[in-house]
Amino acid sequence: MRMIVFFLVGLLVHVVFFMSIFDIYFTSPLVHGMAPHASPLPAPASRLVLVVADGLRADSLYKPDANGSTRAPYLRNVIEEQGSWGVSHTRVPTESRPGHVALIAGFYEDVSAVAKGWKENPVEFDSVFNESRHTWCWGSPDILPMFAKGATGGHVHTHTYPAEREDFASTDASKLDSWVFDQFKSFLLSARENSSLMSSLRQDQNVFFLHLLGIDTNGHAHRPQSQEYLENVALVDSGVKELVSIMEDFFENDGRTAYVFTSDHGMTDWGSHGAGHPSETLTPLLVWGAGVQAAQRVPEPQNYHDGYLQEWKLEGLRRLDVNQADIAPLMSSLIGVPIPLNSVGVLPLQYLNTSDVFKAESVYTNAVQILEQFKVKMAQKKATTLSFLFVPYQLLTESRQAELISKARVLIRLEKYEEAISLCRSLIGHALEGLTYYHTYDRFFLGCSVVLGFTGWTSYVVLVILKTHASLRRPPTHTGQVPGKTLWRVAVGVALLMGLFLMTQRSPPTYYVYCLLPVPVWYSVIKELGTLTDLVRSYSSLPLCKCLGYFVLVTFGIELLVVSFFHRSMLTIGLALLSLWPLLSGIYTKARFRSVSWVVGCLCLASFPMMPVVGREPNVHMVTCAGILSLFISACYLWSARKRSIPHLTDRYLFISQMFHVAVCAYVPTSTHSSLQLKQGLPLSNQIISWITLGSSLLVPLLSSTRLFHRLLSIFLTLTATFLLLSTGSEALFPPVLSWLMFVWINIEQEAMLSQGIPGRLELSTIDFSDNIDITKIRQLKLDDIRRSYFFVFFIITAFFGTGNIASINSFDPASVYCFLTVFNPFIMGGLMMWKVMIPFVIVMCTFESIQVTTQLSSRSLFLIVLVISDLMALHFFFLVQDNGSWLDIGTSISHYVIVMSMTIFLMLLSLVTHVLTSRRVSLCRTRKMHFP
């Protein structure tokens, strides 16, 4: 019972640690209660047309083809003659929803939206559409509804096609864009016969939004360098040309229409997006029409050192780069609507062709709008902080705010517009820095609380290991321990003081959890300090040199694992070092064949982290080779197993059917790829086979024998079949090679037990999971078990990162799920990709459980060491999060922390279930006067 309580408490503690990272770093930046602000001067445009080509890279539009001709002649003419152009720099995550939120609402996506697939609104927000008089939208059902949902007055009208049309296997995804252009033309034609609609269209402050998804869909399906993608760019160009012609004709060439053409994000060469590669973050921006600066020729070199101007043949035209959120205030200024309340965009004045007074008033409005957010944020933080502890943002105190605002108004009245603009830009910079300051105000305090709890928990687990394993301690003494009642009173006093402090500050409920959790944890640690005292007193009987050696090796090993999250090649170095283990430990002299198999297995597995994670072209022939290799390994095992234990007839039939199933699954990706290449869609038979394989993957192994190797082989064949269906190239070879090494690991651990003189070794061919094992044969932990635990953690990390980088969104190839579905569905596709990542993880987990049985250790014993290693890694990443400055680095460290914590929580759940089941079997066995661990 005490061990079950330990696991439950540990699980609760780790869930708190896991959730803390989201509460500290992923809280919504939005505030409410601000008043809208708009320029008092007449706007240069009456209406705005916003065209967003989803997934369009900057170079795909700007760069001429191999013959020197442009793919988009009309938009090229806009750049050279009619308007201004530049690069819009997006931010991570480079996904459709965050990109559109930045474009239209002017702020960078609230990260909590990831839990809803970037589709719903976790926090309601303002947008240019909401501030407009009317907005008409055409495009994807994944994007448009979120802007209509938050709009007031029902003035945002959306027209979407069915979600089923977003099919990566479509014969022509550009039809999505053709549908949008056709609907727009039909809309204007119908308006000529609808007097009410015509009246609305003739009003000012209207927005027309066209969302074009065809380029993104073709990029995912065929890659950005494909003919389909580039032809779609040309289709969009001709569509925009016709759109402008129709608009100008409809409004009788009144010169009051402004046009904005851009993209929400780019795309990698391998057809994915989500991370921070330049091909994902650099998107085109073209603005022309009413109120917009015409093309500007520049004879001198421009201040850009990325080489793109020469590559795009645009070095003679002024390039005006912006941040993606800057487009929202630009659109607001062009049609004279208030800037969205939560916008953090800075108005790019270089795009405006207006009077100086209009520019000054517009940037002043921009400054006041951002300052309003700063004031609300400061008031919120001040209200929840004790007055003597509150530290205001020194560059923008209340008196300083009033001074700058007053001075800016005076400068505008005196017609000193350049000085007013400069002052307002300075005010905007300070206000944005202040917003970040107050948004992260409690971050250090909460981080310290979590670190204190984390170190306390890890210390407690170490003390539990020292206390419960006789080989690491002397009989405990009670001298030097803190009296129980005194310690209890101190802990309660600290908890009450902390709770009173948080209550006074009106802190959120989660703050109480993070700040009070360290109190009981450290109470337990101090209560067990006697164990540490006894260990120190018995140092003379301990193998200090060996202990120090293990400490140094494990410390180096943990650092190697941490670095491998950032540089996968470190796993190759680690595997090369692991391959030397039989030679250094002396096992090679006693088991040459197994040692050689271990070395070869490690070196083969070491090649995978050196392979490119992304950018690989699909190679279904490698999937077929992986299927053949899996069948060969299975056949070799079955042939060798005949000498030790002949499988039952039912097992033989099961293995043969599973091997046939693997052969079929090795063929299905080839068939699917061929069908998609011919644009014939996903064959229904292949889809049925894929889903049946996935559904049966967790059930079929239960039909196999409970013999150790028979059950492992059945698990390997079932999971390999699913992995083949989710593979597109050389990564399909990873499970067979990993499984081969895992089989060798189980065997070689037997030899390690012999070399250490551990008695009672079990014959692997006789081990049955259903048999009862004498509880008296379960041994205590030894120093070498630290090595076993580290091997397990190392192989788990290798399983995660061996074929990709699960911390990077763009390392996933959408083509991996084409055997299951081709219609865009982020949750199902994400779930399938995560299961692909989990399959090697499950193989390693099953192997480790087998090693615990064969080495005569209880599950919880080795797990305690694994828990310490994983907790130290998580703590390391938490410190990295605190130290990093840029959001990209912080996001990477956070994703790594989440991975390690998720792994630890999963292991704790598994160990808890194992312990409960084991305890149940122990109870039953004792009832029958049998011994069982």
Side-chain angles (χ1 to χ4, degrees):
M1 180 60 69
R2 289 182 61 188
M3 189 54 67
I4 293 178
V5 172
F6 171 81
F7 280 127
L8 289 174
V9 171
L11 188 61
L12 176 63
V13 168
H14 281 81
V15 169
V16 171
F17 293 155
F18 178 81
M19 296 304 297
S20 68
I21 203 73
F22 296 97
D23 214 20
I24 296 173
Y25 289 94
F26 288 168
T27 52
S28 173
L30 304 187
V31 291
H32 298 87
M34 296 82 66
H37 294 273
S39 172
L41 300 179
S46 296
R47 66 200 70 89
L48 174 82
V49 178
L50 171 63
V51 181
V52 177
D54 201 307
L56 177 61
R57 296 160 41 145
D59 61 344
S60 296
L61 179 68
Y62 294 145
K63 184 179 179 180
D65 60 20
N67 299 323
S69 57
T70 178
R71 304 183 183 96
Y74 176 75
L75 292 175
R76 186 76 173 196
N77 178 261
V78 168
I79 295 172
E80 295 175 349
E81 304 293 341
Q82 303 179 39
S84 298
W85 74 282
V87 173
S88 170
H89 296 263
T90 69
R91 286 193 186 179
V92 175
T94 46
E95 297 289 344
S96 290
R97 177 198 158 101
H100 282 87
V101 169
L103 285 169
I104 300 166
F107 71 92
Y108 297 103
E109 180 63 292
D110 172 17
V111 189
S112 61
V114 72
K116 297 186 177 182
W118 304 110
K119 288 187 177 182
E120 298 296 330
N121 299 353
V123 180
E124 296 302 328
F125 57 85
D126 193 20
S127 69
V128 174
F129 295 173
N130 187 47
E131 297 292 351
S132 68
R133 193 179 305 278
H134 293 284
T135 295
W136 290 273
C137 312
W138 297 267
S140 167
D142 296 328
I143 298 299
L144 305 192
M146 69 178 175
F147 293 104
K149 179 181 178 182
T152 57
H155 63 278
V156 178
H157 315 281
T158 61
H159 308 271
T160 64
Y161 41 74
E164 291 74 21
R165 292 197 180 189
E166 299 177 10
D167 191 348
F168 295 143
S170 171
T171 55
D172 186 7
S174 64
K175 289 181 179 179
L176 298 176
D177 299 342
S178 298
W179 183 93
V180 172
F181 288 123
D182 291 342
Q183 291 293 313
F184 177 78
K185 288 185 287 187
S186 300
F187 171 77
L188 291 184
L189 287 174
S190 66
R192 297 184 183 277
E193 302 174 1
N194 187 328
S195 58
S196 174
L197 178 57
M198 178 64 79
S199 176
S200 298
L201 289 171
R202 292 294 181 183
Q203 294 176 319
D204 59 359
Q205 298 183 342
N206 285 339
V207 177
F208 303 86
F209 173 44
L210 286 74
H211 175 239
L212 309 176
L213 188 63
I215 292 176
D216 184 75
T217 305
N218 271 319
H220 286 308
H222 306 289
R223 308 293 187 266
Q225 309 300 335
S226 65
Q227 192 66 25
E228 291 85 354
Y229 184 94
L230 299 178
E231 288 178 354
N232 204 153
V233 174
L235 182 145
V236 167
D237 178 73
S238 61
V240 171
K241 179 181 180 180
E242 186 178 7
L243 175 151
V244 173
S245 175
I246 293 172
M247 281 290 292
E248 294 300 321
D249 180 63
F250 186 88
F251 291 102
E252 301 173 350
N253 296 300
D254 63 356
R256 298 283 296 171
T257 306
Y259 301 90
V260 176
F261 179 89
T262 186
S263 176
D264 53 348
H265 57 75
M267 185 172 290
T268 61
D269 290 339
W270 47 95
S272 64
H273 53 81
H277 192 274
S279 61
E280 301 166 88
T281 59
L282 302 183
T283 59
L285 173 62
L286 285 76
V287 188
W288 70 100
V292 180
Q293 187 69 251
Q296 303 175 64
R297 306 280 174 182
V298 286
E300 68 279 356
Q302 302 184 59
N303 190 27
Y304 293 100
H305 305 289
D306 49 23
Y308 291 130
L309 284 170
Q310 293 74 25
E311 182 181 344
W312 298 338
K313 309 298 182 185
L314 291 170
E315 55 266 40
L317 294 165
R318 186 175 299 280
R319 170 181 164 184
L320 304 172
D321 283 13
V322 300
N323 291 321
Q324 194 172 46
D326 299 341
I327 298 175
L330 173 62
M331 294 190 295
S332 297
S333 298
L334 286 171
I335 58 174
V337 301
I339 298 173
L341 297 176
N342 295 112
S343 171
V344 294
V346 180
L347 177 62
L349 292 177
Q350 308 96 314
Y351 277 85
L352 296 180
N353 183 21
T354 57
S355 64
D356 290 341
V357 63
F358 182 86
K359 292 181 180 180
E361 287 287 357
S362 297
V363 76
Y364 174 81
T365 302
N366 192 191
V368 172
Q369 169 261 327
I370 293 178
L371 187 61
E372 283 280 331
Q373 298 179 69
F374 173 82
K375 290 179 178 178
V376 173
K377 199 79 171 178
M378 182 178 71
Q380 289 179 350
K381 187 49 59 183
K382 193 173 183 178
T384 58
T385 307
L386 296 176
S387 58
F388 65 92
L389 292 177
F390 180 71
V391 181
Y393 180 63
Q394 297 300 324
L395 295 179
L396 214 55
T397 58
E398 293 182 6
S399 59
R400 181 64 175 162
Q401 296 172 33
E403 177 189 345
L404 292 174
I405 289 294
S406 175
K407 187 176 180 180
R409 284 262 41 117
V410 169
L411 290 172
I412 292 175
R413 283 199 299 269
L414 295 175
E415 298 183 358
K416 296 182 178 180
Y417 302 125
E418 289 297 330
E419 293 182 38
I421 290 172
S422 177
L423 180 63
C424 289
R425 287 192 180 279
S426 175
L427 177 57
I428 289 173
H430 290 323
L432 291 175
E433 291 176 2
L435 277 173
T436 303
Y437 173 80
Y438 286 119
H439 184 64
T440 60
Y441 192 85
D442 294 330
R443 186 171 289 179
F444 179 76
F445 169 68
L446 294 176
C448 289
S449 299
V450 172
V451 168
L452 192 62
F454 221 139
T455 53
W457 169 257
T458 307
S459 302
Y460 179 69
V461 174
V462 172
L463 290 175
V464 168
I465 294 174
L466 295 175
K467 182 179 180 180
T468 56
H469 293 277
S471 60
L472 297 176
R473 67 171 178 86
R474 281 186 174 181
T477 62
H478 300 284
T479 58
Q481 290 188 346
V482 179
K485 290 185 178 180
T486 303
L487 184 60
W488 171 253
R489 289 169 184 166
V490 171
V492 171
V494 171
L496 289 175
L497 287 174
M498 181 60 70
L500 183 63
F501 171 75
L502 295 173
M503 190 181 301
T504 305
Q505 295 209 127
R506 290 182 287 177
S507 300
T510 51
Y511 281 37
Y512 289 84
V513 177
Y514 305 142
C515 296
L516 293 177
L517 181 62
V519 177
V521 171
W522 279 103
Y523 166 77
S524 302
V525 171
I526 297 174
K527 193 176 178 181
E528 297 293 342
L529 280 180
T531 302
L532 189 60
T533 304
D534 292 333
L535 180 70
V536 173
R537 289 176 178 174
S538 61
Y539 74 93
S540 59
S541 62
L542 295 174
L544 295 180
C545 293
K546 194 173 182 180
C547 291
L548 181 62
Y550 269 93
F551 175 78
V552 171
L553 288 175
V554 170
T555 302
F556 170 78
I558 291 176
E559 288 299 315
L560 186 143
L561 287 177
V562 169
V563 175
S564 70
F565 276 70
F566 301 94
H567 306 284
R568 292 171 61 244
S569 57
M570 296 304 296
L571 292 175
T572 298
I573 296 174
L575 285 165
L577 294 175
L578 258 59
S579 68
L580 302 176
W581 168 54
L583 303 175
L584 300 176
S585 62
I587 297 176
Y588 175 76
T589 58
K590 301 176 182 178
R592 292 179 182 272
F593 178 75
R594 292 179 179 179
S595 298
V596 171
S597 299
W598 170 267
V599 172
V600 174
C602 285
L603 295 180
C604 288
L605 198 65
S607 63
F608 286 93
M610 298 298 293
M611 295 181 182
V613 179
V614 290
R616 298 173 299 205
E617 287 297 320
N619 186 351
V620 290
H621 299 298
M622 295 298 294
V623 180
T624 305
C625 293
I628 295 172
L629 178 61
S630 301
L631 295 176
F632 176 75
I633 292 175
S634 303
C636 289
Y637 166 74
L638 290 174
W639 180 81
S640 62
R642 294 177 59 187
K643 300 178 180 178
R644 295 175 293 181
S645 59
I646 301 176
H648 296 296
L649 185 62
T650 54
D651 286 330
R652 278 182 281 178
Y653 286 143
L654 178 65
F655 290 146
I656 292 173
S657 63
Q658 284 188 283
M659 292 172 69
F660 176 76
H661 190 201
V662 168
V664 172
C665 291
Y667 168 74
V668 167
T670 303
S671 172
T672 301
H673 180 76
S674 176
S675 178
L676 296 180
Q677 286 289 95
L678 297 174
K679 297 186 177 181
Q680 296 175 351
L682 171 61
L684 180 61
S685 58
N686 291 3
Q687 192 173 23
I688 292 174
I689 292 173
S690 300
W691 283 109
I692 291 177
T693 301
L694 178 67
S696 63
S697 60
L698 298 177
L699 300 176
V700 172
L702 300 178
L703 303 177
S704 66
S705 167
T706 53
R707 295 266 179 154
L708 186 145
F709 275 132
H710 294 173
R711 176 61 60 86
L712 288 179
L713 179 61
S714 181
I715 292 172
F716 161 65
L717 288 171
T718 304
L719 296 180
T720 298
T722 306
F723 198 91
L724 291 174
L725 295 172
L726 292 167
S727 300
T728 60
S730 58
E731 80 273 16
L733 296 166
F734 186 74
V737 175
L738 178 65
S739 300
W740 169 29
L741 182 59
M742 293 298 100
F743 278 119
V744 175
W745 186 24
I746 296 173
N747 280 278
I748 206 168
E749 284 292 354
Q750 292 290 93
E751 302 299 332
M753 288 182 63
L754 278 180
S755 65
Q756 295 163 17
I758 299 176
R761 188 188 76 153
L762 299 173
E763 191 63 37
L764 290 177
S765 60
T766 64
I767 296 177
D768 195 311
F769 284 120
S770 64
D771 287 343
N772 296 327
I773 305 173
D774 191 344
I775 194 172
T776 60
K777 294 183 178 180
I778 296 300
R779 62 181 178 82
Q780 294 290 332
L781 283 175
K782 295 185 178 296
L783 281 176
D784 197 50
D785 293 317
I786 299 176
R787 190 261 312 157
R788 291 187 178 91
S789 301
Y790 178 78
F791 276 18
F792 168 67
V793 176
F794 185 92
F795 285 131
I796 283 290
I797 303 302
T798 304
F800 272 132
F801 291 99
T803 59
N805 181 5
I806 63 172
S808 176
I809 299 174
N810 73 3
S811 68
F812 294 107
D813 187 351
S816 299
V817 301
Y818 286 174
C819 290
F820 294 85
L821 77 165
T822 55
V823 177
F824 179 70
N825 188 312
F827 287 107
I828 295 179
M829 288 181 167
L832 289 170
M833 290 179 181
M834 286 310 300
W835 179 235
K836 178 182 178 181
V837 170
M838 291 294 294
I839 285 175
F841 180 93
V842 173
I843 292 174
V844 176
M845 280 294 304
C846 293
T847 302
F848 190 61
E849 186 66 25
S850 302
I851 287 174
Q852 292 183 40
V853 173
T854 59
T855 57
Q856 301 170 350
L857 269 172
S858 63
S859 299
R860 60 182 179 270
S861 299
L862 277 179
F863 169 75
L864 291 176
I865 303 177
V866 171
L867 185 62
V868 172
I869 295 174
S870 59
D871 281 348
L872 289 174
M873 289 176 60
L875 192 59
H876 200 308
F877 284 122
F878 197 90
F879 280 121
L880 288 177
V881 172
Q882 298 289 328
D883 291 339
N884 281 323
S886 70
W887 173 245
L888 184 60
D889 292 335
I890 290 176
T892 302
S893 297
I894 288 175
S895 63
H896 294 157
Y897 174 84
V898 169
I899 291 169
V900 176
M901 289 303 299
S902 301
M903 179 187 75
T904 306
I905 291 173
F906 180 78
L907 290 175
M908 291 201 73
L909 281 171
L910 185 65
S911 188
L912 176 62
V913 171
T914 303
H915 180 77
V916 171
L917 294 176
T918 303
S919 300
R920 173 73 174 166
R921 292 170 69 191
V922 168
S923 176
L924 290 174
C925 292
R926 284 175 176 169
T927 302
R928 300 169 186 168
K929 296 183 179 181
M930 296 175 66
H931 294 290
F932 185 82

